[in-house]
Amino acid sequence: MPAMIEKQGLEPALRRVAEMVRTPEKVDSVTTLRRIEAEGATLRFVFDVTVDAAQIPESMRAAMTSNACNRPALRPALASGATIEWVYVGRGSGAIGTIKVTELDCAGRTPRQEPTKDEVLREKIVGSWSEGISPYTIATFSQGGGYKGVAYSTSEKRDMLLSGEGTWWIKDGVLYSKVNKMNPPTFPLDKVYVDKIVDISDETMTLIDMSGQKYTKTKIP
């Protein structure tokens, strides 16, 4: 999954995983995996259970959390911001309960503790940012790792020069961007662009590109 997330972005990778698994699938004598759903940054496993149960035992919650945090197929998704859910439905479509796991559960820290620098940057960068006057560009970073970019001849946005889609991720204070689609095909696809994030606030973001040039983007409300 790490390579899939890096190439496609978190949300497309989760959708691909959901499509790849054949369902329904018998898990044991009382449990059947009915379906797998990918909704945004959430990967959801829905199970039918043929026994009566009022709720999910805490011991099972702990075991499933440990399994998700230590499972090589799931941990990269959690580290990239995914939420993994197991939904159990009893006989007669009665909901038994849901087990939900995020990276916070794996790290063993509470929301009161200070987030890391990269976590702060990932949260702040989500949204649309503009740069320049002529050309005028808008870059949109989605929470799931998706990227969309549009360039216009001027800030009036009348003549669109090009548009592109791709993925983004942040590691050690550096923004990595990869364009997978572009119209018209002006630049090479799948090339990774590297920009060091110097500073970011609710209004502006200052970066240094691969050539050492410093530039600033402005957050679009």
Side-chain angles (χ1 to χ4, degrees), residues 137-191:
T137 64
I138 297 176
T140 300
F141 302 90
S142 69
Q143 191 170 26
Y147 167 86
K148 291 184 179 181
V150 183
Y152 299 93
S153 58
T154 68
S155 58
E156 295 178 350
K157 298 189 293 185
R158 291 178 180 173
D159 301 317
M160 188 175 71
L161 302 177
L162 60 89
S163 63
E165 297 181 11
T167 59
W168 68 272
W169 64 97
I170 291 175
K171 183 177 181 181
D172 298 329
V174 177
L175 170 64
Y176 298 87
S177 307
K178 180 189 289 187
V179 179
N180 301 324
K181 297 179 182 178
M182 182 172 290
N183 183 32
T186 310
F187 302 106
L189 298 181
D190 294 326
K191 177 181 177 180

Side-chain angles (χ1 to χ4, degrees), residues 1-192:
M1 188 179 290
M4 194 182 299
I5 293 174
E6 181 177 335
K7 184 176 181 180
Q8 301 179 13
L10 177 62
E11 294 183 14
L14 295 181
R15 289 196 296 270
R16 179 58 179 155
V17 169
E19 293 169 355
M20 289 171 61
V21 179
R22 291 182 130 187
T23 57
E25 180 181 357
K26 193 79 170 177
V27 178
D28 54 37
S29 59
V30 298
T31 310
T32 299
L33 175 60
R34 184 199 303 174
R35 65 180 182 273
I36 300 178
E37 305 171 345
E39 182 179 355
T42 297
L43 187 63
R44 183 177 300 112
F45 298 81
V46 181
F47 297 89
D48 286 331
V49 181
T50 59
V51 295
D52 293 322
Q55 60 184 8
I56 298 173
E58 287 302 316
S59 59
M60 182 176 175
R61 289 184 181 276
M64 294 298 288
T65 299
S66 177
N67 176 275
C69 293
N70 294 289
R71 191 172 177 181
L74 295 179
R75 188 57 195 270
L78 290 168
S80 299
T83 297
I84 309 298
E85 291 184 357
W86 290 269
V87 179
Y88 291 87
V89 181
R91 289 186 293 192
S93 299
I96 297 175
T98 300
I99 300 173
K100 183 182 297 186
V101 179
T102 68
E103 178 65 9
L104 276 178
D105 301 301
C106 298
R109 62 180 175 81
T110 66
R112 294 180 183 177
Q113 291 179 288
E114 290 297 321
T116 66
K117 178 182 177 181
D118 282 355
E119 287 174 336
V120 172
L121 293 175
R122 292 187 192 110
E123 181 178 351
K124 283 184 170 292
I125 201 173
V126 171
S128 297
W129 301 79
S130 66
E131 180 193 352
I133 298 176
S134 180
Y136 175 78
T137 64
I138 297 176
T140 300
F141 302 90
S142 69
Q143 191 170 26
Y147 167 86
K148 291 184 179 181
V150 183
Y152 299 93
S153 58
T154 68
S155 58
E156 295 178 350
K157 298 189 293 185
R158 291 178 180 173
D159 301 317
M160 188 175 71
L161 302 177
L162 60 89
S163 63
E165 297 181 11
T167 59
W168 68 272
W169 64 97
I170 291 175
K171 183 177 181 181
D172 298 329
V174 177
L175 170 64
Y176 298 87
S177 307
K178 180 189 289 187
V179 179
N180 301 324
K181 297 179 182 178
M182 182 172 290
N183 183 32
T186 310
F187 302 106
L189 298 181
D190 294 326
K191 177 181 177 180
V192 177

